[in-house]
Amino acid sequence: MSISGISGGGYGYGYSSSINNLLQLSSLKSTASYSAISAVNRVSSTNKNTSAYASVTSFLKDYQSELTGLEAAAAKLQTSVSGNVFTELEAGSTDEAVATAQRSWRLEAGLDVDLEVHAVAQSQRNVSVANLATDQAEEDMEFEIAGPGGNQTISISSTNANGTKKTYKQMYQEAAKAVNANSKTGVKASVEGENGKVSLVLTGKNTGEANSFSVYGKTGAAAGLEYIDRAASDASYTVTQNGYSQSYTSDTNKVSIAYGRVDVELKKEGSTNIYSGVDTDRITDAVQDLVDSYNSVTNLLEANSGRGRGTAAHLTSFQRGMAHEKTLAALGITTNKAGDLVLDKEKLTEALEKDYDFVVDTLGGQFGLAEKAAEKADRALSDSVQRIVSNDLGGNTSSSSGSGGSAGSAASAGNAYTQFANFVSGGAYNLANYYAVGMLLNTMA
């Protein structure tokens, strides 16, 4: 990378000092005398190039941000980079109506587990008789709930403070509010209605036989609430892996299989297969990120191509694209009228299902789309500031002929600065040789 190039690490802007020095040298052309290049102050405080400095540094900041973003997007798809989207396996279920599966921690390829759900875990449910919501209640409520977390007494009068009778809906709502105010019993209440009639419903907060509850006492207006409409029950299921079957019970429908590597949620009775594989949505999202980032870089270069030879050259490179249009089309990538790349995720998903290895190799293999995009970004980031914004810097990047006096000295100084920067960009050996030759010439003089 050039000594005054832009770092691709994204942790600072290596161009700031270089651009400040170059613009300072440019301002010296209009100075009455110039004898030597000394340490320079920040351009914004020493000359009239404040707006030019701000414009160039703003562009270079965007230039670095967009290109490092492209490198990051490409890395997700490069098979040579650890943690790419093709190596992260996810768990899946062939019948998600029976059970869903999610990776708990790192999976191995080839997971193949048959799951038979015999029963799902359920919570207890008690329901009162249904009464017309607007009818007046005839009896009070005075009952107790004995839940897994403790007991609670519910006492609701059928008469208002002014002596009028309460409706069934009003009484049920007051009872539900009282039940829900106590979070320790493990029971919640609600009022359910249909065709003008309402019922008071008590439900266990958790599934499993251990979370059952009892209702006893004078239910009154909520008659029937003491009877179980649905009993609390445990889940029952069988797991078959590597030819070995084992049956289990659980008080919850969220269980773990494959030695804790997969979290499964049981949905209903039935059979399904739990397997490991790549997440196609994750792949298509990564390709979308690459396409969006590539478009963003190209648009930035196009809007600023007049800033310098380097910017124009990199624009030409990016406009050539990442691959032949037929190759891109096979992956669902086309070009719109504006020249931007467009991804059809459905077509890419079809390509993954049809020939997965081809898609992986074309996207992330050696010489694949991601690698080519990363190489373009790296070349652009490694270019020198002098080339990227050569037109903004004016005389600092090319020799000035026909200039005399102090102005000519300033231009020569600018060229000397540029030549020296280009020379030492070769590394420490070039710099050492520069001084060694200088010492030799001084000895011969």
Side-chain angles (χ1 to χ4, degrees):
M1 181 178 290
S2 172
I3 194 171
S4 55
I6 299 179
S7 170
Y11 299 105
Y13 306 117
Y15 55 76
S16 298
S17 177
S18 296
I19 198 68
N20 185 63
N21 289 340
L22 290 168
L23 286 171
Q24 179 70 18
L25 287 169
S26 177
S27 70
L28 292 174
K29 291 183 180 182
S30 59
T31 305
S33 62
Y34 179 85
S35 57
I37 301 177
S38 58
V40 295
N41 296 319
R42 190 173 181 82
V43 172
S44 58
S45 62
T46 59
N47 58 53
K48 298 179 180 179
N49 285 328
T50 303
S51 60
Y53 178 87
S55 174
V56 174
T57 52
S58 175
F59 162 66
L60 291 173
K61 182 177 180 179
D62 292 340
Y63 183 92
Q64 183 184 46
S65 176
E66 294 290 352
L67 287 164
T68 52
L70 177 58
E71 284 187 322
K76 295 177 184 178
L77 291 161
Q78 290 179 271
T79 55
S80 59
V81 177
S82 61
N84 65 76
V85 294
F86 302 114
T87 57
E88 280 293 327
L89 299 176
E90 297 292 339
S93 171
T94 56
D95 191 343
E96 294 193 338
V98 173
T100 58
Q102 184 176 6
R103 173 174 60 91
S104 176
W105 53 290
R106 190 172 182 84
L107 284 176
E108 295 179 354
L111 177 68
D112 183 9
V113 178
D114 289 326
L115 176 65
E116 180 76 25
V117 181
H118 307 297
V120 294
Q122 296 190 92
S123 58
Q124 182 177 328
R125 173 183 163 95
N126 288 22
V127 183
S128 74
V129 296
N131 291 286
L132 287 172
T134 55
D135 279 0
Q136 294 181 340
E138 298 295 333
E139 299 180 80
D140 298 340
M141 296 182 195
E142 191 75 34
F143 62 88
E144 188 167 347
I145 302 172
N151 293 7
Q152 180 184 16
T153 299
I154 303 299
S155 180
I156 307 295
S157 173
S158 61
T159 305
N160 289 307
N162 61 6
T164 59
K165 299 293 288 184
K166 295 177 182 177
T167 64
Y168 281 104
K169 182 177 181 180
Q170 184 180 357
M171 285 196 72
Y172 291 168
Q173 286 177 335
E174 289 183 15
K177 184 177 180 180
V179 173
N180 293 332
N182 188 330
S183 60
K184 296 181 179 180
T185 60
V187 178
K188 58 184 178 180
S190 61
V191 179
E192 295 183 2
E194 186 178 1
N195 298 325
K197 292 186 175 183
V198 291
S199 298
L200 179 61
V201 180
L202 299 180
T203 309
K205 291 182 179 179
N206 299 304
T207 58
E209 292 179 6
N211 294 303
S212 59
F213 60 88
S214 299
V215 177
Y216 53 92
K218 183 183 177 182
T219 53
L225 193 62
E226 65 271 32
Y227 301 115
I228 298 174
D229 178 63
R230 182 186 67 209
S233 61
D234 292 339
S236 174
Y237 60 99
T238 299
V239 174
T240 302
Q241 185 175 7
N242 298 325
Y244 176 75
S245 297
Q246 180 69 46
S247 295
Y248 302 91
T249 59
S250 170
D251 62 358
T252 176
N253 289 312
K254 294 182 178 181
V255 300
S256 295
I257 64 171
Y259 308 105
R261 293 179 183 273
V262 180
D263 291 333
V264 173
E265 183 171 1
L266 310 178
K267 297 290 188 178
K268 71 173 187 177
E269 296 178 13
S271 301
T272 186
N273 178 263
I274 307 300
Y275 61 90
S276 62
V278 294
D279 185 347
T280 55
D281 288 340
R282 193 160 174 256
I283 295 174
T284 56
D285 286 345
V287 176
Q288 184 68 66
D289 288 343
L290 178 66
V291 166
D292 291 342
S293 187
Y294 195 93
N295 287 337
S296 186
V297 170
T298 304
N299 291 334
L300 175 68
L301 294 174
E302 188 172 16
N304 293 274
S305 59
R307 288 187 177 274
R309 300 190 308 277
T311 306
H314 297 307
L315 171 62
T316 300
S317 174
F318 272 85
Q319 286 178 331
R320 293 193 190 103
M322 292 179 283
H324 190 276
E325 61 180 13
K326 289 185 178 180
T327 301
L328 293 175
L331 302 174
I333 302 174
T334 55
T335 304
N336 63 18
K337 293 181 179 179
D340 291 333
L341 297 177
V342 179
L343 173 65
D344 184 336
K345 285 190 174 183
E346 290 186 5
K347 190 168 183 179
L348 176 56
T349 301
E350 291 176 4
L352 284 165
E353 294 173 352
K354 182 179 180 180
D355 194 340
Y356 178 78
D357 291 337
F358 165 77
V359 175
V360 173
D361 187 55
T362 306
L363 282 173
Q366 187 178 20
F367 311 119
L369 269 63
E371 183 177 289
K372 290 179 180 178
E375 287 175 351
K376 289 175 184 287
D378 184 64
R379 283 196 297 271
L381 285 167
S382 299
D383 205 351
S384 68
V385 169
Q386 294 97 313
R387 260 178 49 84
I388 296 169
V389 289
S390 60
N391 293 340
D392 286 323
L393 299 178
N396 288 314
T397 56
S398 61
S399 59
S400 299
S401 59
S403 298
S406 60
S409 299
S412 298
N415 290 325
Y417 178 87
T418 304
Q419 292 166 7
F420 180 73
N422 290 335
F423 179 76
V424 298
S425 67
Y429 289 109
N430 272 7
L431 188 60
N433 289 339
Y434 182 90
Y435 286 114
V437 171
M439 292 173 63
L440 179 60
L441 292 174
N442 286 340
T443 303
M444 295 172 61

